[in-house]
Amino acid sequence: MTTSSALSRRDVVLGAGVAAAAVAVAGCSTYGADPAAPADPTPGGAEPGAPAQALAKAADVPVGGGVIVGDTVVTQPTAGTYVGLSATCTHAGCKVTKVQDGGIDCVCHGSRFALDGAVLKGPASKPLAAKAVRVEGGSIVAG
Ligand code: FES
């Protein structure tokens, strides 16, 4: 099994979108598979020395869960595999608000997406748009 710190660029799932929202870090939320885990007071915040465009620390993206950072959802469906997705729901454009229980929820009308962005439950009929992310220096960065 690969740890996040040993990831190469090949291990990171690269989406097809342009990750222009890398600096839009306001409204960051963290949800994970382990509800007992302590909350990070600065979720998505860059550590000193972290890449300037860091979306989150790789260690803060739980396996089987994810974090929402601005307009980007970063998930880790399986250990060492990171997925970047648009946080904009494909149904009517609300921002998805929760990553929980292995899925991504939009509370506007109840759509639910898999950690890879696929639709699990409508009314959305299209997957969340992919956004390119990669691991750099222990952080998830756009691009
Ligand atoms: Fe997300 Fe309607 S906008 S379910």
Side-chain angles (χ1 to χ4, degrees), residues 9-75:
R9 297 181 98 174
R10 289 186 310 265
D11 295 324
V12 180
V13 175
L14 297 175
V18 175
V23 295
V25 295
C28 174
S29 300
T30 302
Y31 300 90
D34 181 7
D40 184 339
T42 57
E47 291 283 311
Q53 72 276 31
L55 296 169
K57 291 180 283 185
D60 287 344
V61 182
V63 176
V67 296
I68 301 170
V69 185
D71 293 333
T72 302
V73 184
V74 179
T75 66

Side-chain angles (χ1 to χ4, degrees), residues 89-96 106-111 113 122-124:
C89 179
T90 57
H91 173 236
C94 288
K95 182 179 169 186
V96 297
C106 178
V107 297
C108 281
H109 310 100
S111 289
F113 302 89

Side-chain angles (χ1 to χ4, degrees), residues 73 75 85 96 98-99 102-106 111-115 128:
V73 184
T75 66
L85 301 164
V96 297
K98 295 181 183 176
V99 183
I104 303 163
D105 294 321
C106 178
S111 289
R112 183 166 171 79
F113 302 89
L115 297 178
L128 295 175

